[in-house]
Amino acid sequence: MSENPFEVLKEDMENEEVYLKVNAMHRVKVVATLLGSDKIKSQLIPYFETLLKKEDDEVLFALAEELGNIAQIIPNQSACLLSLLEQLAGFDETVVREQAVKSIAIVCGFLQDNEIANTIVPMIIKLASNDSNFTCRVSAVCLMCPLYARAGNQKEKIRQKFTELCSEETPMVRRAVATKIGEIAQFMDKIHVIQDLIPVLKQLCQDEQDQVRLLCMESLMNIAKILNSGENKTNILPLIIQSAEDKSWRVRLALSKIFADLAEAVGKEIADSSLIQIFSNLLKDTECDVRVIAVRSLARFIKFVSPEKLNLIVPLLQLLSKDPFSQVKQHACEVIGQIATLLPKEYSQSKLQQYLIDLMADDNQDVRRNAAKSAGQFAAAIGPEAMNQFVPFLKKCMDDPKWRVRKETMQTIIQLALTVKNPDVFNKQLESVFVMFLKDRAAEVRSMGITQLPALIATYKQEWAIGTFLSKCIETLSKDVGSLYRINALYAIQQISFAVDGPVAQDKLWPIVQKCLKDPVPNIRFVAIKVAKSLQKKIDNQQTLNQIKQSINELIEDPDRDVKFFAQEALQN
C-alpha cells in the first residue's frame, strides 16, 4: 500500500463496498490537511470531478459534506470548491443536493461581500435558469435566502429570479419557493416584501397543488411579523380567511398549527376583530385532525384575545367538551382550566364548571387525566367555593383504575393545597384526598406523595404533620396487610422527622419506628432502620439514642441478608 495519503484515498475508493467508500470519504479532511492547499487544487479536486459521474448517492452525499469541511482548511481559497458544489447542487437525490447547498453556505462564510455579488450570485442565477434540470432551480431557491442580504447591487436580480420561480411549471420548484418565501422576506426591505413577495404569495396560496398551499402557511406567518397592523389587515388577513376555507383539510390543518403564532404576528386588534371568527370555524371543522390541532392551538390563542371577546370562545368549549373524538376533549380540558383564569369567576363557574366535571368521568383515561389536571387550575382561579364542587370528583378520580389519572389527580390536590395555603380549607376539603396516596396501588403515585410531603409540611406546619397526618400513617402501619403501603407510611414518617424538633421525634416518632424494627416483613425492618438512622440526627437524649442503637444492633444477626447489611451500615455510620 502507498504511503502517499492521496494514493491511499484512491485505493480505498476502488473498493466495491459502498460503505467502505463512504468511510474513506469521511477521512478526506485528514487527507486534505496532509496534502495542503496547492495539492488540494491540483490533485484532490480534479479527482473528485471524476467521482461525480460514477459514484453512488451515499458517497456523493459524504463528498458534499466533506467539501464543507475542506473549506475550513483552506478558508482563503475555498472558492475553488464551488464548481464541484454547483454540480452536486443539481443532483436528483435530495440529500445530496441539500448537503451541497449547506456546504456552499459554508464556503460563502469565508468570502467577501463583493465576491458574493460577483461569484455566488451569478452561480445562483445560472442554477435558477437551468431549464433542463429542475433540481438546480430548487437549489437556487434555497441559496437565495441566506445570501440575499450580502448580494449588494445584485439583490434586484435575485428578487426578479425568485418571483419568476414562483410561477414555475414544476411543482417541486413552487414548493421550494413556498417554503422559503417567508425566510427571504426577513432579509428584504418592507417595500420589496409588499411589492414583490406578497403578490406571488397570494398566487401560491391559490396554487392547484395543496402541498404548495400547505407550505405557504409558515411563510404567511413569517411575513405577517414584518408588516404592521394595517398592512396585515390588507394583505395577510384575506389569505388567512382563504386558507381557513381551503378545500384541502391538510391546508386547514397547517393553518391551525400556526394560528396562535399568526395571532401574535398580526396583533390583538385583528385577532379580536377577525381571527376569532375564523378560528371558530377551524374548531368546528368536519375533519377531526383539524379540530385536534385547532383546540391545541386555542390554549395559546386565547392569550392574544381581549377578555371581552373570550366569552365568544366559551360556547365552542362547550361544544368541544362533547366532541366524539377523545383527543379533542383532551385539549379542551386544558383550555377550560386556562380560560377560567381570564374570565370572571361567576361566568366560568356557571358556563364551564359542569363540562369540566363531566370530562372527569369520561370513558377515555387521557381525557380524565387532563380534566383532573385542569380542575386544579380551574378551582384555584375560582376560589375555595369551587373546591366544594370538585373535591368529590377528585376523590373519585383517586379511585380510578388507571394510575396515570390518579397521579395527575394527586398532583392537582397538592398544587391546590400549596396555592390555597388555608388550613381550614385544606383540612375540610383536600386532606382526605391527599392522604389517599398512602395506600395507592401505583408506586408512582405513592412516590409523588412522599416527594411533595415536605412542601405541604412547610405550608401547614408541624402541628398538621404530627397530628392528623401522622395518625393516618399509624393507621396504615397497624391495619394494612400490604407491606408496600406500610413501607410508604414509614417513608412518610421519615419526611416528618426532617421537619420536627428532637423532643417530637423522640416522643412521637421513635416509638412507631421501634415497633417496625420488629416487623415480620424483612423489607419493613430495613426501611425502619433507615428511618431510625434519620431520627438519630434529630434526638439529643442519650438514653433514647442508646435505645435506637440497641434496637438496630439486635438486627445484626437477622436472617435476612438485606436487613443485616442495613443494620451494619447504620451502626458503622
Side-chain angles (χ1 to χ4, degrees):
M1 182 179 285
S2 173
E3 293 183 1
N4 184 307
F6 178 57
E7 293 301 324
V8 172
L9 173 67
K10 289 170 69 175
E11 288 175 15
D12 289 342
M13 292 303 295
E14 294 299 321
N15 203 296
E16 293 183 1
E17 295 290 344
V18 173
Y19 80 93
L20 291 175
K21 291 194 280 189
V22 170
N23 290 342
M25 190 58 69
H26 282 307
R27 294 193 293 271
V28 158
K29 186 176 181 181
V30 176
V31 175
T33 303
L34 294 172
L35 289 177
S37 59
D38 290 340
K39 289 186 177 180
I40 287 174
K41 289 188 285 186
S42 63
Q43 294 182 7
L44 200 57
I45 292 176
Y47 175 66
F48 286 157
E49 289 273 3
T50 66
L51 298 180
L52 295 182
K53 298 175 183 177
K54 66 178 184 178
E55 287 299 345
D56 295 301
D57 291 333
E58 292 94 329
V59 178
L60 295 177
F61 171 76
L63 172 60
E65 186 177 12
E66 292 306 320
L67 287 174
N69 293 329
I70 293 173
Q72 298 173 48
I73 299 173
I74 52 170
N76 296 328
Q77 302 175 56
S78 58
C80 67
L81 305 172
L82 289 172
S83 175
L84 270 173
L85 288 169
E86 181 182 347
Q87 293 178 68
L88 288 167
F91 268 67
D92 290 339
E93 180 56 44
T94 304
V95 292
V96 175
R97 194 170 66 241
E98 289 177 348
Q99 186 57 55
V101 169
K102 290 177 184 177
S103 293
I104 290 173
I106 292 173
V107 172
C108 291
F110 300 117
L111 301 180
Q112 301 295 323
D113 286 353
N114 65 311
E115 292 177 289
I116 297 292
N118 298 328
T119 304
I120 301 299
V121 172
M123 182 184 77
I124 293 173
I125 300 300
K126 180 182 174 184
L127 285 168
S129 303
N130 190 323
D131 295 330
S132 61
N133 191 349
F134 79 88
T135 56
C136 291
R137 303 197 292 279
V138 171
S139 294
V141 171
C142 295
L143 284 168
M144 288 176 183
C145 298
L147 298 176
Y148 177 84
R150 299 181 62 194
N153 57 8
Q154 302 294 315
K155 286 181 179 179
E156 186 177 349
K157 285 186 179 180
I158 293 182
R159 285 198 307 273
Q160 183 180 352
K161 184 56 70 172
F162 188 88
T163 53
E164 282 179 18
L165 293 173
C166 292
S167 302
E168 260 284 341
E169 289 184 6
T170 309
M172 281 287 290
V173 180
R174 298 202 304 278
R175 289 179 199 173
V177 173
T179 304
K180 296 294 183 180
I181 191 169
E183 184 180 332
I184 200 170
Q186 309 302 311
F187 305 104
M188 287 189 183
D189 295 332
K190 188 191 286 189
I191 187 169
H192 294 306
V193 172
I194 294 172
Q195 290 180 355
D196 299 331
L197 293 190
I198 287 181
V200 293
L201 178 63
K202 291 177 179 178
Q203 178 183 326
L204 290 168
C205 283
Q206 296 175 350
D207 195 271
E208 61 182 16
Q209 278 218 340
D210 63 351
Q211 187 67 22
V212 174
R213 303 197 302 276
L214 183 156
L215 292 170
C216 285
M217 294 302 100
E218 195 79 24
S219 295
L220 194 68
M221 178 188 67
N222 289 331
I223 291 178
K225 293 177 180 178
I226 299 171
L227 308 180
N228 61 35
S229 180
E231 291 160 346
N232 274 320
K233 198 165 187 177
T234 303
N235 299 295
I236 302 300
L237 184 58
L239 298 180
I240 297 174
I241 295 171
Q242 175 185 305
S243 300
E245 297 171 351
D246 197 282
K247 61 184 179 182
S248 169
W249 68 269
R250 298 181 190 278
V251 176
R252 304 196 301 275
L253 180 71
L255 178 64
S256 299
K257 283 181 181 178
I258 63 159
F259 211 90
D261 295 311
L262 265 175
E264 183 179 13
V266 301
K268 182 168 281 192
E269 181 186 342
I270 296 177
D272 269 0
S273 62
S274 305
L275 291 193
I276 196 164
Q277 186 56 51
I278 300 169
F279 201 34
S280 300
N281 294 332
L282 292 173
L283 290 166
K284 295 182 287 188
D285 199 275
T286 53
E287 182 64 41
C288 63
D289 286 349
V290 177
R291 297 198 305 277
V292 170
I293 298 301
V295 73
R296 189 185 297 172
S297 295
L298 181 58
R300 287 187 55 223
F301 176 72
I302 60 176
K303 298 175 184 176
F304 308 110
V305 180
S306 63
E308 296 77 23
K309 292 295 181 76
L310 281 177
N311 56 4
L312 298 176
I313 294 174
V314 171
L316 298 173
L317 285 174
Q318 294 170 341
L319 188 67
L320 293 167
S321 67
K322 295 182 179 296
D323 196 279
F325 202 60
S326 62
Q327 283 185 283
V328 174
K329 291 187 283 188
Q330 285 176 43
H331 298 301
C333 292
E334 298 171 16
V335 181
I336 289 173
Q338 288 180 340
I339 203 169
T341 64
L342 304 172
L343 291 170
K345 294 180 181 181
E346 298 77 10
Y347 187 81
S348 295
Q349 200 166 10
S350 63
K351 298 292 185 180
L352 293 173
Q353 183 172 284
Q354 188 55 50
Y355 291 99
L356 189 55
I357 288 172
D358 292 343
L359 289 166
M360 292 170 73
D362 194 84
D363 293 337
N364 184 278
Q365 66 161 314
D366 292 322
V367 175
R368 297 196 302 274
R369 181 162 56 90
N370 281 11
K373 179 180 179 180
S374 189
Q377 195 174 13
F378 192 96
I382 303 303
E385 60 271 19
M387 289 189 198
N388 292 324
Q389 303 294 323
F390 281 108
V391 168
F393 296 96
L394 289 171
K395 196 167 186 176
K396 187 176 179 182
C397 286
M398 282 305 296
D399 291 322
D400 197 281
K402 303 296 184 180
W403 68 266
R404 287 182 175 84
V405 177
R406 301 198 303 276
K407 182 181 178 182
E408 198 62 64
T409 305
M410 181 53 59
Q411 183 67 48
T412 293
I413 290 294
I414 292 166
Q415 287 178 345
L416 281 174
L418 296 176
T419 302
V420 172
K421 296 181 181 179
N422 185 317
D424 290 335
V425 173
F426 177 69
N427 293 334
K428 290 177 182 178
Q429 299 182 23
L430 301 175
E431 185 190 35
S432 62
V433 187
F434 170 71
V435 297
M436 292 176 74
F437 87 88
L438 288 169
K439 300 181 183 181
D440 196 273
R441 301 184 302 280
E444 285 274 352
V445 180
R446 296 195 302 272
S447 176
M448 173 175 283
I450 295 295
T451 303
Q452 297 295 329
L453 188 54
L456 284 173
I457 294 174
T459 302
Y460 294 102
K461 310 306 177 189
Q462 175 177 303
E463 291 73 17
W464 168 74
I466 61 173
T468 312
F469 182 68
L470 181 59
S471 67
K472 290 291 182 183
C473 294
I474 295 170
E475 179 185 324
T476 303
L477 285 167
S478 59
K479 293 183 179 181
D480 250 294
V481 292
S483 61
L484 291 176
Y485 301 157
R486 288 189 282 151
I487 287 171
N488 198 45
L490 270 174
Y491 279 127
I493 289 172
Q494 185 180 42
Q495 293 296 330
I496 295 172
S497 73
F498 297 145
V500 299
D501 51 30
V504 173
Q506 174 182 304
D507 298 336
K508 295 279 190 180
L509 305 183
W510 165 237
I512 304 168
V513 178
Q514 186 178 28
K515 185 177 179 181
C516 292
L517 287 168
K518 299 177 181 179
D519 196 277
V521 179
N523 285 17
I524 292 177
R525 293 201 298 276
F526 74 64
V527 172
I529 292 171
K530 294 180 183 179
V531 181
K533 190 176 174 183
S534 299
L535 293 177
Q536 282 181 310
K537 299 175 183 179
K538 285 284 186 174
I539 296 172
D540 296 325
N541 185 287
Q542 191 58 48
Q543 184 179 353
T544 306
L545 289 172
N546 289 337
Q547 283 181 6
I548 296 174
K549 188 174 181 180
Q550 179 59 36
S551 297
I552 296 175
N553 193 56
E554 291 173 3
L555 297 172
I556 289 291
E557 300 302 325
D558 194 273
D560 186 271
R561 64 182 183 181
D562 289 329
V563 176
K564 287 170 65 175
F565 171 80
F566 283 108
Q568 290 168 356
E569 185 184 53
L571 291 173
Q572 286 172 2
N573 298 327

